[in-house]
Amino acid sequence: MYQSILRQQLELLKSSNQYRTFTTLSRICGQYPLAKLEGAPDTPVVVWCSNDYLGMSQHPLVRQQMHWALETYGAGSGGSRNIGGSHELYARLESSLADWHEKEAALVFPTGFGSNDATLQCLLRQIPDCVVASDERNHASIVNGIRATPNERRVFRHNDVDELEQILSAYPVDRPKLVVFESIYSMDGDIAPIAQIVKIAKRFNALTYLDEVHAVGMYGPRGAGIAAKLGIADQVDIIQGTMAKAIGVIGGYITSTQTLIDAVRSFATGFIFTTSLPPAITAGCLASIEHLKTSSCEREQLHRSSGTLRERLRQHDIPVMRCSQTHVLPVLVGDAERCKAAAHRLLNVHGIYLQPINSPSVPVGTERFRVNATPNHDLNQIDHLAASLRETFDHFAIPLASQASAAEVA
């Protein structure tokens, strides 16, 4: 009976084009963004949708420090930090993160998903009667953390500061409130009105929780994110980030006051009862962050490459969605079946890996490719991508930018 129920659910997923499959790619160290495709090892493909935004997973310094830590400390951490002990590398990494965001303290988690999920659950359970206001396009990790608590929750329209103000104004000033939002939204590439949100939150005595996972390393002084770029990081109560994207390794973190960090460390079950990052991973994260604090060449090249890619796509009439303001370039397809077919053709005909983004990750009718250049993509690869997308769009009669709605594409 149980197998039958699960099979039915899987068939529904497949029939709606929401079933996910893995493409087996083996990245080639030192040759990023090239990877070997399973079954065709002699012809590398070019990866165009990795979150390794700056190619730091390949950086010699990061790899060197990971090798050093592996040979010095071994492979695993031995358990949670409460049971296995808290390695000195964790303290150094958390100190570096707190310095990066100019906060009093930081706390590291094994993943970015876990840092959002565990922290939000903890805060909402520990702060009595706290109401949470969440942007409608917040990441699944944020949604998961909020839904796991019985707290009253309100969802405001994406980046709509007027609706947020209406929500917060409906509660007494002394009622605990938490506003949760992101700086850069990964599927649209747009930027939140951070300054306005923070101003409104302060007016109504609400804590602010900002997810900067798609910004850290790439924006602001020393790569500390959008809030730092705007000069208002000190006004944001909690900044959350990841070490799996621009930093190039894995792990999540939060930064805030010493008291808040200590509370999450002491009460968050998602932190207390999980194995800590291995020393080699921690060393790699620390090396990457310290490098990005002082080196701007990677992010400068990222933004140059992103600008070149955006222009090449425009020249080939490829519909980049108007919402994009950042390095994330959402290319509109608008149909789940054609999006999957186009991805297959790009991979097998043109040697380009782009993952189709379909519902429920994005609304039905806005299916897309989420494209991003890195400092490692050269001009030939950028030109090849633009030409290949145009050939693929023509092949499947996918509407071009000149044929799509002006409200949707630039």
Side-chain angles (χ1 to χ4, degrees):
M1 177 180 74
Y2 304 107
Q3 300 301 314
S4 176
I5 291 172
L6 294 174
R7 277 195 295 269
Q8 289 176 18
Q9 295 297 322
L10 287 169
E11 288 305 317
L12 285 172
L13 201 63
K14 291 176 181 178
S15 65
S16 64
N17 286 303
Q18 295 179 28
Y19 182 74
R20 291 174 167 86
T21 59
F22 292 145
T23 300
T24 302
L25 290 172
S26 299
R27 299 204 297 171
I28 307 168
C29 186
Q31 298 183 47
Y32 180 70
L34 299 183
K36 293 181 179 179
L37 180 65
E38 185 180 40
D42 298 328
T43 308
V45 300
V46 183
V47 177
W48 278 101
C49 53
S50 171
N51 285 336
D52 187 6
Y53 291 133
L54 298 176
M56 289 302 294
S57 68
Q58 311 284 308
H59 197 284
L61 178 62
V62 174
R63 292 189 283 121
Q64 177 189 15
Q65 287 299 300
M66 293 183 74
H67 280 292
W68 167 80
L70 180 64
E71 294 302 320
T72 304
Y73 304 115
S77 67
S80 70
R81 288 166 71 177
N82 292 298
I83 292 176
S86 186
H87 200 285
E88 61 96 8
L89 283 171
Y90 304 136
R92 290 173 56 193
L93 177 58
E94 287 169 346
S95 176
S96 177
L97 288 165
D99 167 76
W100 207 18
H101 293 288
E102 298 183 336
K103 298 294 184 185
E104 293 178 4
L107 189 65
V108 168
F109 294 75
T111 68
F113 191 108
S115 58
N116 269 335
D117 187 21
T119 300
L120 289 168
Q121 284 196 50
C122 174
L123 292 176
L124 292 175
R125 292 183 188 278
Q126 295 302 318
I127 301 175
D129 201 28
C130 184
V131 60
V132 56
S134 177
D135 188 287
E136 66 177 347
R137 295 189 187 172
N138 276 339
H139 190 262
S141 57
I142 293 173
V143 175
N144 204 66
I146 293 172
R147 285 181 175 173
T149 72
N151 294 62
E152 182 179 355
R153 50 187 181 266
R154 302 288 301 275
V155 177
F156 59 93
R157 286 185 297 272
H158 181 51
N159 286 343
D160 191 330
V161 292
D162 292 332
E163 186 175 29
L164 174 62
E165 183 174 12
Q166 290 173 11
I167 289 171
L168 296 179
S169 66
Y171 299 92
V173 173
D174 60 353
R175 170 83 182 267
K177 295 172 283 291
L178 176 65
V179 179
V180 187
F181 61 111
E182 302 180 33
S183 58
I184 294 176
Y185 288 83
S186 64
M187 291 299 133
D188 293 331
D190 59 334
I191 300 175
I194 299 174
Q196 293 173 270
I197 291 174
V198 169
K199 183 178 179 181
I200 290 169
K202 285 188 176 297
R203 189 191 314 158
F204 295 101
N205 193 30
L207 281 173
T208 48
Y209 183 106
L210 176 63
D211 178 319
E212 287 255 41
V213 298
H214 292 278
V216 290
M218 296 171 287
Y219 297 87
R222 305 192 300 163
I226 298 293
K229 179 180 179 180
L230 297 172
I232 58 172
D234 62 323
Q235 299 176 42
V236 179
D237 296 299
I238 305 145
I239 294 178
Q240 182 267 353
T242 184
M243 295 172 288
K245 294 180 172 60
I247 296 170
V249 195
I250 193 170
Y253 65 88
I254 57 169
T255 62
S256 188
T257 62
Q258 185 66 54
T259 299
L260 190 143
I261 294 297
D262 195 24
V264 174
R265 183 192 67 83
S266 300
F267 294 112
T269 55
F271 173 80
I272 296 169
F273 298 104
T274 193
T275 300
S276 58
L277 288 175
I281 297 295
T282 309
C285 293
L286 178 60
S288 181
I289 292 165
E290 287 298 304
H291 174 80
L292 291 173
K293 284 181 180 179
T294 59
S295 174
S296 61
C297 62
E298 289 87 1
R299 48 184 166 267
E300 288 171 358
Q301 182 57 50
L302 166 76
H303 297 309
R304 283 195 295 268
S305 296
S306 297
T308 300
L309 175 58
R310 190 183 289 271
E311 176 59 21
R312 292 293 189 277
L313 295 177
R314 187 195 65 77
Q315 291 171 357
H316 283 81
D317 205 16
I318 301 301
V320 175
M321 297 176 69
R322 186 177 293 276
C323 51
S324 173
Q325 303 167 265
T326 60
H327 62 285
V328 177
L329 305 182
V331 170
L332 180 67
V333 176
D335 177 85
E337 189 172 351
R338 283 194 288 184
C339 198
K340 291 178 71 172
H344 185 270
R345 182 174 183 83
L346 285 166
L347 183 63
N348 292 283
V349 175
H350 298 290
I352 287 170
Y353 177 66
L354 275 172
Q355 182 67 19
I357 307 295
N358 293 337
S359 174
S361 298
V362 296
V364 173
T366 68
E367 292 82 1
R368 68 196 68 172
F369 293 123
R370 179 183 173 279
V371 185
N372 53 274
T374 73
N376 305 69
H377 288 92
D378 61 34
L379 288 175
N380 289 334
Q381 290 168 336
I382 290 174
D383 289 338
H384 178 244
L385 171 66
S388 299
L389 278 168
R390 178 57 189 260
E391 188 280 333
T392 302
F393 271 54
D394 288 343
H395 181 85
F396 291 107
I398 299 169
L400 298 169
S402 57
Q403 300 165 324
S405 166
E408 293 179 324
V409 299

